Amino acid sequence: MRTTTTPETVAELIARQWGDHRPGLKYADGVLSHHRTALEAAARAALLVDLLPPGAEPHIGVLLDNTPEFPFWLGAAALAGAAVAGINPTRRGPDLARDILHTDCRILVTERVHLPLLRGLDLPGVRLLVTDTEEYEALLAPYAGAKPGDAVLAAGPGPSSRLLLYFTSGSTGAPKAAICTQGRLAGAGNSLARTFSVTPDDVHYICMPLFHGNAVIADWLPALAGGAAVALRRRFSASAFLDDVRAYGATYFTYVGRAVQYLLATPPGPDDRDHALRLGFGTEAGAVDAARFAERFGVRLVEGYGATEGGASVQRTPDTPPGALGRAGAGDDLAVIDPETGRECPPALLDPRGRLLNGAEAIGELVNKGRSLFEGYWRNPDAEAARTREGWYWTGDLFFRDAEGFLYFAGRTDDRLRVDSENLAAAVIENILARWAPAAAVAVYAVPDEVAGDQVMAAVALREGPGAAFSPEDFEAFLAAQPDLGTKMAPRYVRVVEAMPTTATNKVHRVSLRRAGFRTEDPVWWRRPGGASYRRLDAADLAGLLTSYEAQGRADLLGR
């Protein structure tokens, strides 16, 4: 039964499903009603209350693929007043153990497929629940009659109760566990449900991993708030995407990183528009790929911005120009700051086609100078201080702002390059290179220059797939025709990859690309300093380069 007031907690959103017998959860093995999903969450909440040791932090580690057990435990934590730490299954050994222990998880929910990851790990005080076993079913059986609200921890769930401890990805250092409370998450779900007009007739397809904030905050929560069903894909599959959305009647999905490029790389078919999808919401698709996606599949992609930490948000309005994300969200005082000088960057100059002409001056770090919804990192005061220095929230992301105040994403601060004393943003160069028709995927990153600073390197996956030939002449002609390609932006090195390396959240694995640099088994093309044409990097070239690095005392920078 739906209430007329706006729920202030995720627990209320879960409880509101009680008595709703319409389809609520779709997955490979069947369909469950909204009522059944609330019942399963209530049973696990009751089990949790009984299992959690006295005095322990109310934290549950969840090491699962996108199976029904994941939303069941999200719901259980909400009802009980506990928090879920999403555990990344691509982490290994001590790093995996560190994530579980750092978040003070006394219970770890997993499945048999992930048990090999846990062998040999020292996890003192952590109780393991393996969902696809008879022992687990027997453990749950006594709680089958539980209802929402029957079992709570301490004072029970409230707006200030922690619900998520979600690890933020980063290129260096251990991941930080961002704190997300029920009040903030319920507000985010309600806001997105209103923004995208979510109704009970919608089906939200969740193919991004639920251990990452995107799938929970931008897909599961607005479905809860709008009364929509969710459909789960165990792991993202580009080849199965259209079959899934047709089978489930999906109307909405979220994406992260390069998932859109993988979908565009699938063979086109005459039935590419034969589906019910109306919207995709995510980040880092790029204007070129978003246009290609809309043309091929008939689905509008909406780029959003709002980190798991909640420190800043950008809201799209009907007058948002192509390529922009929108303006500052309500209550935010966003500025684009030059991190070296602390001064606000000048407005971006855009040509009639929306291409950035003054990136070196206009690109800076997005900072929230007003109130922030950032709720901190679990047991990491140094990271909190770095995020909130000088009383501002520093996002760690690069942006530029046009004269009308619209904001454009330009990459992560880790993706900034410094070439010949000029600061460049990798995402801006990527957006230019993405126009090259033979490119299915592009990633731009820094490699150290032999003398000082960086050089631009690009990894390119070709549309024709493995074995396709890279034409240096065509690439050079393309670069020469791009009016917004600055004099320092053209890649010194081009690595041709069969497939772009990615993380578990479908983002480009830039760390591995940077570490390999130009020393890789993949074909690498390069331009000598001052040269205008690309040539294949051979053994003699590589030996000469390494000698130059050693002579300048910079050889130790390679492979970092």
Side-chain angles (χ1 to χ4, degrees), residues 41 80 97 99 107 115 119 141 161 170-171 182 215 226 243 296 354 358 388 390 417 437 445 479 492 514 521:
D99 292 349
I107 296 171
L115 287 178
R119 288 182 189 141
S161 303
S171 60
Q182 290 214 29
D243 289 340
R296 176 174 168 184
N358 64 334
T388 56
E390 301 170 16
L417 303 82
Y445 46 98
L479 294 178
R492 168 75 63 84
R514 282 194 290 261
E521 296 298 319

Side-chain angles (χ1 to χ4, degrees), residues 428-446:
V428 172
I429 304 173
E430 285 176 353
N431 289 337
I432 295 172
L433 298 187
R435 301 170 195 154
W436 190 44
V442 177
V444 169
Y445 46 98

